[in-house]
Amino acid sequence: MTEKILRVDMDSGDVSFEDVPDEYDAYAGRALTSNVIADEVDPQCHPLGPNNKLVFSSGLITGTSAPSTGRLSVGAKSPLTGGIKESNVGTDFSQALKKLQIRGIVVEGQSDEYKLLKIDKDGVDLVSAEEWSGVGLYQAFEDLNSEFGDVSVCGVGIAAEISGFNSGIAFNDPEGMSTRYAGRGGLGAVMASRGLKYIVVDDADAPGVEIEDRELFKKGRKKVVDGLQEHDVTKPDGALPNYGTSVLINIVNEVGALPINNFSEGQSEKAEKVSGEKKAEEIEKRGGVNPHTCSPGCIIRCSEVWTKEDGSDPVGVLEYESVWALGPNCGIYDLDIIGELNRKCNDLGMDTIETGATLAVAMDGGLIDFGDGEAALELLEEVKENTALGKLIVNGAKFTGDALGVTRIPVVKGQAMPAYDPRAVKGIGITYATSTMGADHTAGYSICQEVLGVGGKRDPLEIENKTDLSREMQATTAAIDSVGHCLFTAFALLDIDEALEGVIEEVNGVLGTDMTVEDIPEYGMDVLKTEREFNKAAGMTKQNDRIPEFMREEKLPPHNEVFDVSDEQLDSVHN
Amino acid sequence: MTEKILRVDMDSGDVSFEDVPDEYDAYAGRALTSNVIADEVDPQCHPLGPNNKLVFSSGLITGTSAPSTGRLSVGAKSPLTGGIKESNVGTDFSQALKKLQIRGIVVEGQSDEYKLLKIDKDGVDLVSAEEWSGVGLYQAFEDLNSEFGDVSVCGVGIAAEISGFNSGIAFNDPEGMSTRYAGRGGLGAVMASRGLKYIVVDDADAPGVEIEDRELFKKGRKKVVDGLQEHDVTKPDGALPNYGTSVLINIVNEVGALPINNFSEGQSEKAEKVSGEKKAEEIEKRGGVNPHTCSPGCIIRCSEVWTKEDGSDPVGVLEYESVWALGPNCGIYDLDIIGELNRKCNDLGMDTIETGATLAVAMDGGLIDFGDGEAALELLEEVKENTALGKLIVNGAKFTGDALGVTRIPVVKGQAMPAYDPRAVKGIGITYATSTMGADHTAGYSICQEVLGVGGKRDPLEIENKTDLSREMQATTAAIDSVGHCLFTAFALLDIDEALEGVIEEVNGVLGTDMTVEDIPEYGMDVLKTEREFNKAAGMTKQNDRIPEFMREEKLPPHNEVFDVSDEQLDSVHN
């Protein structure tokens, strides 16, 4: 195999390329990051102490011409959950690494001084990054592009510098802005605590990904492209390119599962004001960009560039989860305020979901009022100023809730829930509870079946067979996160058998293997088992696979349902 | 049985007396609180939510003339550890309850308004306590004594009102001051979150404890008195009455186990400045009180009343653990500053051990400097003012350390370690790690054997057989905490067989039972098993029975030892 693993020792400053071990041959993306963490990191180590490691890996077929594969996994022991973490991002950084034939980067040890890792076809350098520390990431990314030319950039911001449990790792979008995020689980703080501030990758004259069987690969690729262009959700004039992921605002609100005011209600008549339709209309008026990709070669194009009213100061994408978290969940129904909150998250290096949940918990605790966007913006300013209040906010929803004596904290394994209330969509609640990652919609997105009717239609309020659904989706997702296709390809893959076959042919084409569609669940399940073993050794038990007490007691309007999946049912997902 | 359990429903305001269930016949103190919590509280509930309960219970023979038995257990699910908690205090409040033939109080539900529970021979009242909220506890206790006459008082302070994980429950000392504490584990916040602010007990004309066999009781009592008066540690002119518990400062410093500057060293030549000998000398000069008791009938008299230099403004007792925590562990070697820090803890309702550990972690994180007593006092003022910084500090060492990115946090199960470094005294480290309570010296005080040579002399640095020692001490302690004798009687009980016989005769005399000395370990082990089952159901595993990573890696001067008891050895304690 031509691909190598780059190991960076921050203690000594040594960098070295290693062969990919035989047993990792078919591992990339999440399969690689989770296996390296499981094999090399003491599950009981302090996530910000000397013994944690940070692993980057693009997907198996990332860097090829396969559509919508500009994905990268970042893994470590998470300071937010205390367990293993894979955080996934769409960015050309993923492709640049693979074109340089780097399957993964393992960062270990700790440097006292902030460093920048520079990678190009000629080699690897570790240089001082002190001059780009303590500044906002929009500016830093711009400066790094000026300094290093047309490079892919990854970096951590002020939130990570102050060791926030809610600090993500930012990656560049096509405009070079710090808007693409491996946001969840506090991996930014893991990177900063290694002393690593930025990575820049220049893939000029890179050799590219070696493909063992080009014909097979091309055959598979065509099937995937056809599937994506045919499926209602992903086709060129479909919902995602037209409205971005925020198309879900109206849909999820309609089914009564859009969490309002810190998960107090499931529906608001004001939601339409921040819908994807409204956003697309505004972007057109303002002269932003829509549709837009997170990385080259994506044919779904769910991204966009949001701007201020006069078209200035581009923010980047406003994802559905971000709009909901910083909007309706905080009682805020103004896209411009949501945009500015999102800008601050991107600039400080914070996950928008965790940030929105934190602000909403702070509102529930009376620190500021629901709906007060200016006060929310000021709280994020406190993070920037590293005040004591900022130290609360930067550590996430649970930390802030604990500080304020709030008992309604919507987290699992310490990580905030995304934009679907588990009381109104039981299957996604099962995923939140039982995922190795903490509450995470992308870990097993049963919203496909429960809300969108993709992959078969299921009643969101029904419990029966939802544990099976969640398990299947979790396993499939772990596999997709390893292959490198964007999770949104799943809309097509779930409904169109040829497209799924195409994925396997792409992989077999690249690797020269002979996997089948039937191997996918087992491949994914192996990844999940590895992750669960790590979490168990870190001290997690079935009691960590639970939805918070308040959701079992408080009924959610309009359906007036509690989360009533039994402990036994939850435990059946992985047993 | 004449003794009853008082149940207080804070939702409805109903109070009722219940018979002690048959299976609880021999349970009081810790055995009662832990069994009620295990039987009635969902281990997965939020500790500050509606489903936790708070249980008070005096020891089996508390309220009789048995010496040094003015002890009370308080139990709940702890917000600090997430597990079961029994916090133990010496105060006449314990005796007043028992004289009124109340074996325990179970507080459940939540009131929106702060209430005061008033108990006397005529009955029980729940009245508004709003007028005594938001004020310091010294003042509140004084006011309550003015209002209700000569009563025993228990209450929670500002730290509990703001739901601090480091909030204790204060009880009166003989002067009526808020200086006796069920301090550990954040039980103050559990009480405040029930809406219960104070309990006052008037035992005037109380019927007293019924004693089944007075002759047997008197016989046993005499043996215990003789033992206490004979043993070197507890005798009238012994170390404890002369110097208080701070006699340990010089002793533990000498063996290199006194944690200095957030557990960075085990010895300081400055320690002598805050020794028990020095303190006793100062108290005599100033006109404080020494020796002194925490409650009537104590013949050990390890307490004292510390004052300002001119003899004014009594603080109350300065325990060894408090002096160490607020002193050497923070690089502070000035008894007057330590006294003022202790006063603030008593006034706000904070545990001194957790507070000292928090300040030291804050110093380690660069928030203030080691040795800066004025800055430490100001940090506690932030708690009083309920600032964002105060919200960090009031939640304890782990919370503060996490906020500051400190990885050297000396906690087990979230609770700060007391005044013996586990790297220099291995047996107490085994107790810290494996106790159901989090790091707690009183849970299995192997310092007796390892440092003081009581109950046999063991080398503190040796590991062999220390797991057995810790297990035995943990079981015996659980029994003593149920009987109601002060843990310090154990010095005599470990060395003098007749005294131990005397305890069993006291118990049999009171209850009319026929227990033997041989039953003690099993009685205690049953309590531990109940507690461990609760913790397991709350989500704890053997990974919670561990000493922090930094103590396994950083050598502690002067012995330059790490904590090297293996995981297998730790797991053998309870398996």
Side-chain angles (χ1 to χ4, degrees), chain A residues 93 96-97 100 117 119-120 150-153 199-203:
Chain A
F93 185 99
L97 276 188
L100 286 163
L117 183 69
I119 305 172
D120 61 26
D150 184 23
V151 288
S152 299
V153 181
I199 307 177
V200 299
V201 183
D202 182 350
D203 64 359

Side-chain angles (χ1 to χ4, degrees), chain A residues 28-30 33 55-60 62-63 68-75 86-98 102-105 153-154 169-172 180-183 187 191 199 201 294-295 480-486:
Chain A
R30 179 170 171 183
T33 62
V55 185
F56 299 80
S57 178
S58 311
L60 282 170
T62 300
S68 306
T69 52
R71 306 296 302 187
L72 178 89
S73 295
V74 190
E86 182 261 4
S87 197
N88 199 290
V89 57
T91 169
D92 65 35
F93 185 99
S94 64
Q95 296 160 320
L97 276 188
K98 274 307 268 306
I102 297 172
R103 189 179 283 190
I105 308 175
V153 181
C154 131
I169 303 180
F171 295 81
N172 64 283
R180 309 304 315 183
Y181 264 86
L187 298 188
M191 184 160 157
I199 307 177
V201 183
C294 67
S295 56
I480 292 178
D481 288 343
S482 304
V483 167
H485 269 302
C486 172

Side-chain angles (χ1 to χ4, degrees), chain A residues 46 51 405 537 541 543 549 553, chain B residues 46 51 163 537 541 543 549 553:
Chain A
H46 192 299
N51 296 321
T541 69
Q543 280 81 8
E549 187 182 31
E553 305 209 331
Chain B
H46 193 298
N51 297 321
S163 71
T541 69
Q543 279 81 7
E549 187 183 31
E553 305 209 331

Side-chain angles (χ1 to χ4, degrees), chain A residues 44-46 48-51 163 165 388-389 391-392 395 399 402-405 407 536-537 539 541 543 546 549 553, chain B residues 44-46 48-51 163 165 388-389 391-392 395 399 402-405 407 536-537 539 541 543 546 549 553:
Chain A
Q44 293 182 52
C45 76
H46 192 299
L48 306 182
N51 296 321
S163 71
F165 291 176
L389 190 49
K391 285 178 195 295
L392 293 181
N395 282 299
F399 202 85
D402 283 349
L404 298 175
T407 56
K536 187 180 170 194
T541 69
Q543 280 81 8
R546 297 289 180 265
E549 187 182 31
E553 305 209 331
Chain B
Q44 293 182 50
C45 75
H46 193 298
L48 306 182
N51 297 321
S163 71
F165 292 175
L389 190 50
K391 285 179 197 293
L392 293 181
N395 282 300
F399 202 86
D402 283 349
L404 298 175
T407 54
K536 187 181 170 192
T541 69
Q543 279 81 7
R546 297 290 180 265
E549 187 183 31
E553 305 209 331

Side-chain angles (χ1 to χ4, degrees), chain A residues 165-329:
Chain A
F165 291 176
N166 174 18
S167 55
I169 303 180
F171 295 81
N172 64 283
D173 64 15
E175 286 72 29
M177 297 194 293
S178 58
T179 72
R180 309 304 315 183
Y181 264 86
R184 309 225 69 192
L187 298 188
V190 178
M191 184 160 157
S193 64
R194 300 312 92 191
L196 185 60
K197 193 74 170 67
Y198 298 102
I199 307 177
V200 299
V201 183
D202 182 350
D203 64 359
D205 303 320
V209 177
E210 208 159 83
I211 294 177
E212 294 285 335
D213 183 340
R214 289 207 164 261
E215 283 314 303
L216 181 62
F217 171 76
K218 277 167 72 180
K219 185 174 148 204
R221 179 183 177 284
K222 183 171 188 315
K223 290 182 185 173
V224 179
V225 170
D226 289 348
L228 290 172
Q229 290 188 326
E230 178 186 321
H231 195 275
D232 277 343
V233 177
T234 54
K235 64 187 179 186
D237 60 344
L240 280 173
N242 272 332
Y243 305 118
T245 54
S246 290
V247 68
L248 285 166
I249 290 276
N250 283 339
I251 296 171
V252 178
N253 190 52
E254 184 65 30
V255 299
L258 188 75
I260 306 295
N261 291 7
N262 192 31
F263 290 78
S264 295
E265 297 179 68
Q267 202 167 63
S268 167
E269 54 186 22
K270 299 182 201 156
E272 196 281 331
K273 295 184 187 179
V274 297
S275 66
E277 293 82 344
K278 178 78 180 161
K279 185 174 60 176
E281 191 186 309
E282 280 296 317
I283 291 175
E284 185 160 352
K285 239 191 267 176
R286 298 175 180 200
V289 186
N290 181 37
H292 177 262
T293 65
C294 67
S295 56
C298 180
I299 61 174
I300 302 178
R301 301 173 302 151
C302 69
S303 183
E304 74 241 335
V305 179
W306 176 258
T307 64
K308 286 196 176 154
E309 206 167 350
D310 61 2
S312 69
D313 290 341
V315 173
V317 65
L318 300 189
E319 300 277 10
Y320 164 64
E321 303 288 339
S322 308
V323 169
W324 157 78
L326 303 166
N329 194 43

Side-chain angles (χ1 to χ4, degrees), chain B residues 441-463:
Chain B
H441 60 302
T442 69
Y445 192 64
S446 63
I447 299 300
C448 286
Q449 295 84 354
E450 295 184 286
V451 175
L452 303 173
V454 169
K457 180 80 184 101
R458 301 284 183 93
D459 178 349
L461 296 177
E462 184 191 272
I463 294 174

